[in-house]
Amino acid sequence: EAIAATLAEIIDWGGGTRLGSCLEHFNQLWARRVLGARTTVLLLTDGLDREDTALLAREAARLRRHCGQLIWLNPLLRFEGFEPRAAGVRALLPAVDAMLPVHNLQSLSQLPQAIAHHRRDSAAQRALAAPKPKQALPSPSTKRRTATP
């Protein structure tokens, strides 16, 4: 009875998350205060969003701009052959640096190593993609003209 009564009180049970709105709220109130270039954000969701995917894509990209890396922990990766078919999943993918499985204790225990490995790979990729410093051009000669006696 207690479970049935609780479920009756929850208006949006089983209807998907409102991830876009939640990210928007976080971005407005907290992102600039608590995130920085060295911050790794772990986003734990299946990506099955019920709102406008444009909002989700925009706010996920905004979140990514405020942190060092955005790692998506997706419990749906436990399914072999998982494909990003849901609109929310496709909206999130461009903003994340990695999508890792998180569905059991084993995947959780491997999470620190996976994050550290990804951070090293990301740093190496950024170093390779960084523009090479330009060599200084020799300054024009500033020979003094001296008057000949």
Side-chain angles (χ1 to χ4, degrees), residues 62-80:
R62 185 175 166 197
L63 177 63
R64 177 60 190 91
R65 286 191 301 273
H66 286 289
C67 65
Q69 67 177 351
L70 178 58
I71 297 182
W72 179 2
L73 306 177
N74 188 339
L76 295 181
L77 291 181
R78 73 181 176 271
F79 298 116
E80 195 170 316

Side-chain angles (χ1 to χ4, degrees), residues 60-140:
R62 185 175 166 197
L63 177 63
R64 177 60 190 91
R65 286 191 301 273
H66 286 289
C67 65
Q69 67 177 351
L70 178 58
I71 297 182
W72 179 2
L73 306 177
N74 188 339
L76 295 181
L77 291 181
R78 73 181 176 271
F79 298 116
E80 195 170 316
F82 169 80
E83 292 182 22
R85 293 183 182 169
V89 174
R90 290 193 317 270
L92 274 174
L93 278 174
V96 300
D97 295 295
M99 182 169 51
L100 303 174
V102 59
H103 57 279
N104 59 23
L105 291 176
Q106 181 181 1
S107 64
L108 286 173
S109 69
Q110 296 170 352
L111 192 56
Q113 294 85 8
I115 291 171
H117 176 73
H118 181 72
R119 183 174 282 281
R120 283 191 302 273
D121 287 352
S122 294
Q125 287 173 356
R126 282 192 304 274
L128 289 173
K132 305 293 182 226
K134 294 180 182 176
Q135 291 194 358
L137 296 173
S139 59

Side-chain angles (χ1 to χ4, degrees), residues 4-84:
T6 302
L7 291 176
E9 293 296 318
I10 301 173
I11 298 167
D12 59 355
W13 179 261
T17 54
R18 294 185 302 267
L19 192 54
S21 295
C22 291
L23 290 179
E24 180 180 41
H25 184 75
F26 177 83
N27 285 335
Q28 288 174 349
L29 295 179
W30 296 104
R32 294 173 83 190
R33 295 178 188 174
V34 300
L35 301 179
R38 297 185 59 187
T39 306
T40 297
V41 173
L42 303 177
L43 184 62
L44 178 58
T45 180
D46 56 13
L48 303 178
D49 195 65
R50 68 182 205 172
E51 291 184 315
D52 177 26
T53 56
L55 173 67
L56 176 56
R58 182 178 68 247
E59 293 304 322
R62 185 175 166 197
L63 177 63
R64 177 60 190 91
R65 286 191 301 273
H66 286 289
C67 65
Q69 67 177 351
L70 178 58
I71 297 182
W72 179 2
L73 306 177
N74 188 339
L76 295 181
L77 291 181
R78 73 181 176 271
F79 298 116
E80 195 170 316
F82 169 80
E83 292 182 22

